[in-house]
Amino acid sequence: MRLSFSGLRALLLLPLCCPSLALAEEQTKGQQTHTHTPTHPTTSHPHDVQAKEVEYITTHATTEVTQRGGGLIRPQHGTQSISEVGRSYMDVQAPTASAFQLVSILPGANVATSDPFGISPNTNISVRGLNGDAIGYVLEGMPLNDIASYGGYPNQFADTENYSTAGLQQGSSDLDSPVLNAAGGVMKLSFLDPAFKPGGFASFSYGSFNTRRGFLRLETGEIGHSGVRGFASYSNTHTDNWRSGGYDTRQHIDFKLLKEWGQDNRASLVGSWNRAITSYYPFTSLKDWKTYGTHSGALTHHYEPGDNSYNYWRLSRDPEETLYVGAPVHLRFNQRYSFDITPYAQSAYGNFPYGSQLSGTGNYYGTLPVSSLPLTDNQTVRSEYTQRSYRAGVNMAFHARYKWNDFVMGYWYDYSDDNQRQPFTTVNDDGSSANIWGDKRRDRVLMPNGNPYLAGAFHTMSQVNALYIGDHISLMQDRLAMDIGFKEVMMHRWGTNDVPGPQRTISSNKAEPLPRFGMRWNFTKQDQIFLNVNTNFRAPTASSYYNQYAGTDANGNANGSLSKAGTNHLKNEYSIAEEFGYRRTGEWITASVTFFNYNFRNRQIKTGEPNNPNISTSINAGKQTSRGVDVEIGTRPWHHLSPYASFEYLHATIDSNIAARGDLLPTAGKTAIRSPHFQAGAGLRYDDGHFFSMVTMHYMSHQYATFMNDERIPAIMTADLALGYRFNNIGVLQKPTLRLNLSNLSNQRYLSGINSTAFNAHTTTGLHGTRIKGSSPDYFIGSPFAALASFTAGF
């Protein structure tokens, strides 16, 4: 391996590193240090990094040796903008932190949370004004998005201790990214590599709201003389809800097996299993927030029979179980030819219930009346929303190098099966349910014919075939590099609506061409400029295709009429993203400035049908333009201090008037929703090898929740603090560490983000004179001050 002066200097700074790095050093003493390339096809290349710009080596994993920006910034050399946090930053954060929380102060990241410790699924991220369902999530080359709604649930992804990097590619996905919804970019997550020697890592945490968590990772080291090594980890978390009644639990397993051989050959098996039961945090309207504050919409701690019984917290117990498995393989045949393949599979089951009241008569099953149900009038029940999904696919690419070209030709196949049902289950006299999973027929409310009574049911299958081809061109000893690529994504979706009505089947065939171009020029050894033009898309969600029934008449009585009209005429959302930027990777400073421009069309939103405002549907809402600049800067440690700062200016506008209630809302020229004009982040870390501390701050200007810009949440500013001490080795314990994480230091009471949006909050006159009544968006309520103490050690 070539090791530059900066790399040698980094080795000398080894005592300043995080505990996992120190553990890696102990585990790899006497072993050969090695480098490796990515384990799945990407548009970046190892030779993009010049020898004098090497900033890290690989021992236990791709571990940072110099903590530039406290671990919040890493040198980049590709043609697209990306911001990454490394292991050294993660090692001073709360062990419960989710992937969203880890990237929350990177430029462009707008993270909304409901709890301080990242356990609740009530969270969201938007990037440069584009919502989380327009972001792709990829772990070790396999997709993590919900296959129906495209949302991301970071509490399911992996335990924080097992990540090596977490990156946010703000502008677009890679040519080979296996995603269907990345109109707004992609989040890329990577696991640590297993250690060469047997051992492990353990931690225990306790903190506010009776939060307690245990984590254990066991390392096999090399198994015999096979060259195979692996790790497996288990964590168990419990926390009481800080608002409303109830508590959350989470069990999680991660594992990775790895074999490396020859020159640059790798094969691995990775996976994550997650089982969580959470109490859904209620959202709030702005009016209720101003009136009730953090008590707005709070669920009751005790069951109260009567009109308020459906607000009991146990009726909103949200159980979920997921499994992700992938097998990334990289084979190098010789200096010219290599092959990458990543087969993957995943399964998921979840129930997203809420309390409601249902009577024994006056009900409709789809369009058919139901004579009776075994219920009393206005009996409290659990309205279940169950989703069972399976997904499998493979992503493969063949690389061929010839002179200054590195050609890639790839194929991605993906098959998914998604089954969603909306049954009802009865509850006991104390408000508890015999089966919170809602998956047993015996617990459901049955119709006279013995079948479950369902408010909705649809079953969707999807098949994706994607072909991509590209060329990475390296000229002038790699001072000038260009990426040229084209991807064609073909998606066939079919399904059934399983409740009675005129709609029985749906079918859709869509194809999307995605050309791209990027260039990077190193005009000095430390300075470079880059530019790119990329195209991305987002397919319609599964639910947009289906009719839903149980509408009401003028008196509020159910009559089996249409309440939501499905459509298969929606076009894919499509974005053309342009970026131009400058990067510096100097001896002391790592920095980047990125100017960006999005042209976004065929935005998909839900609204009322033009001819019947009481029926909702999904429509093409036209165009949006987003322009701005991202800045981030960090330094290497100086007198044990390493600062970091990020900034974004965003000007995002709606370019079309939106159809609503048979008229047009004058939305053209308005600011786009979830698009704060300014946001900034900062971090300052002190680390002398034993004592360490890090303070991080985040500011977000106001952001609109309505397309008419008549309701918004105010600006947000929060700060967090981490303090800790690393001891010398004690017997078998390697670098035992005590750490205290304090979140929301000033105990701000604030709305952390926008959950659901609305066209207009107040009555508005349309362009054709119609008085269009407003509706209230709802919001995430940010958590108060919280503390978490942790003890960690390797062995």
Side-chain angles (χ1 to χ4, degrees), residues 264-325:
D264 196 27
N265 294 288
R266 289 170 57 92
S268 60
L269 176 67
V270 298
S272 279
W273 172 83
N274 191 82
R275 182 183 175 96
I277 301 175
T278 60
S279 300
Y280 223 67
Y281 281 97
F283 303 108
T284 184
S285 66
L286 190 59
K287 179 181 178 181
D288 286 348
W289 168 252
K290 292 178 178 178
T291 302
Y292 304 108
T294 56
H295 299 291
S296 175
L299 301 176
T300 60
H301 291 256
H302 306 285
Y303 189 62
E304 301 174 2
D307 292 339
N308 198 40
S309 60
Y310 54 85
N311 284 325
Y312 181 44
W313 69 269
R314 288 187 185 274
L315 299 178
S316 296
R317 295 287 277 161
D318 173 16
E320 302 170 19
E321 186 170 12
T322 57
L323 174 66
Y324 303 100
V325 179

Side-chain angles (χ1 to χ4, degrees), residues 415-613:
Y415 176 84
S416 62
D417 184 309
D418 182 69
N419 204 331
Q420 300 189 36
R421 296 287 185 269
Q422 300 177 49
F424 298 86
T425 59
T426 57
V427 298
N428 300 321
D429 292 340
D430 62 355
S432 63
S433 172
N435 177 19
I436 65 172
W437 294 86
D439 58 348
K440 297 292 189 287
R441 180 188 181 92
R442 65 174 180 266
D443 301 314
R444 294 178 174 179
V445 175
L446 303 180
M447 298 183 293
N449 63 5
N451 292 326
Y453 175 62
L454 303 174
F458 50 88
H459 186 193
T460 312
M461 284 72 69
S462 300
Q463 185 171 259
V464 176
N465 289 274
L467 297 170
Y468 52 91
I469 186 170
D471 184 17
H472 176 80
I473 302 171
S474 177
L475 303 171
M476 302 167 59
Q477 297 182 330
D478 202 40
R479 290 183 60 193
L480 176 65
M482 290 182 286
D483 286 314
I484 302 171
F486 179 83
K487 187 175 187 178
E488 180 78 9
V489 181
M490 296 155 284
M491 181 178 184
H492 175 45
R493 180 175 275 168
W494 67 100
T496 58
N497 193 336
D498 295 332
V499 298
Q503 184 193 55
R504 175 57 182 167
T505 62
I506 64 100
S507 180
S508 172
N509 286 283
K510 297 181 183 295
E512 203 66 71
L514 301 170
R516 58 199 298 123
F517 171 78
M519 184 176 71
R520 182 259 302 154
W521 178 39
N522 291 353
F523 58 92
T524 74
K525 294 180 179 180
Q526 298 179 328
D527 303 279
Q528 63 182 235
I529 58 174
F530 66 96
L531 62 89
N532 62 76
V533 180
N534 292 315
T535 54
N536 302 276
F537 82 108
R538 175 179 177 270
T541 60
S543 63
S544 65
Y545 291 89
Y546 294 98
N547 290 345
Q548 290 185 347
Y549 304 97
T552 59
D553 58 23
N555 297 318
N557 300 313
N559 59 7
S561 63
L562 196 67
S563 62
K564 175 183 172 296
T567 176
N568 63 357
H569 300 298
L570 283 178
K571 294 181 179 180
N572 292 329
E573 291 183 349
Y574 196 82
S575 68
I576 301 174
E578 297 125 4
E579 293 181 326
F580 174 78
Y582 162 78
R583 298 189 187 106
R584 178 173 177 82
T585 306
E587 180 180 359
W588 284 95
I589 293 176
T590 299
S592 69
V593 180
T594 305
F595 298 90
F596 59 87
N597 178 73
Y598 282 97
N599 292 294
F600 197 69
R601 65 173 186 257
N602 301 329
R603 291 180 304 111
Q604 300 163 17
I605 60 174
K606 292 181 180 180
T607 182
E609 276 198 331
N611 297 323
N612 189 343

Side-chain angles (χ1 to χ4, degrees), residues 11-167:
L11 287 174
L12 296 176
L13 291 174
L14 192 59
L16 301 182
C17 295
C18 54
S20 69
L21 176 58
L23 173 59
E25 179 194 17
E26 294 293 327
Q27 291 176 327
T28 55
K29 281 184 179 179
Q31 300 184 32
Q32 182 181 7
T33 302
H34 67 284
T35 60
H36 62 79
T37 56
T39 60
H40 53 87
T42 70
T43 54
S44 61
H45 301 269
H47 57 261
D48 285 347
V49 184
Q50 299 182 24
K52 292 188 177 180
E53 296 170 337
V54 173
E55 295 299 336
Y56 57 87
I57 60 173
T58 301
T59 52
H60 176 247
T62 307
T63 310
E64 295 170 309
V65 176
T66 53
Q67 302 169 353
R68 289 178 178 261
L72 278 163
I73 192 169
R74 293 163 60 88
Q76 304 296 334
H77 304 276
T79 61
Q80 297 174 239
S81 65
I82 181 172
S83 301
E84 288 184 309
V85 300
R87 187 66 253 164
S88 60
Y89 173 72
M90 300 178 198
D91 279 332
V92 300
Q93 300 307 299
T96 59
S98 72
F100 286 4
Q101 290 172 313
L102 291 176
V103 302
S104 62
I105 64 173
L106 298 182
N110 180 1
V111 175
T113 60
S114 298
D115 73 314
F117 301 124
I119 301 170
S120 172
N122 290 41
T123 184
N124 189 37
I125 185 173
S126 61
V127 179
R128 294 178 178 173
L130 298 178
N131 195 37
D133 56 5
I135 310 298
Y137 307 98
V138 179
L139 171 64
E140 294 275 318
M142 58 180 171
L144 301 176
N145 293 79
D146 183 290
I147 63 175
S149 67
Y150 305 130
Y153 302 98
N155 64 320
Q156 300 174 359
F157 291 172
D159 278 327
T160 303
E161 291 93 338
N162 295 327
Y163 288 130
S164 62
T165 60

Side-chain angles (χ1 to χ4, degrees), residues 362-390:
N363 300 296
Y364 276 77
Y365 175 45
T367 58
L368 295 180
V370 179
S371 59
S372 64
L373 296 174
L375 301 170
T376 60
D377 287 344
N378 296 323
Q379 182 173 335
T380 298
V381 295
R382 274 173 51 112
S383 297
E384 321 281 6
Y385 197 114
T386 66
Q387 179 185 12
R388 187 180 299 278
S389 60
Y390 302 96

Side-chain angles (χ1 to χ4, degrees), residues 674-717:
R674 297 190 181 97
S675 299
H677 287 303
F678 301 98
Q679 65 182 82
L684 180 63
R685 178 169 176 167
Y686 176 87
D687 195 330
D688 65 8
H690 287 291
F691 176 75
F692 61 88
S693 66
M694 186 166 190
V695 60
T696 55
M697 295 172 286
H698 190 231
Y699 170 80
M700 187 84 61
S701 67
H702 70 258
Q703 48 189 309
Y704 290 107
T706 63
F707 291 86
M708 280 299 299
N709 292 174
D710 57 356
E711 186 169 298
R712 69 186 193 185
I713 59 174
I716 304 165
M717 186 169 183

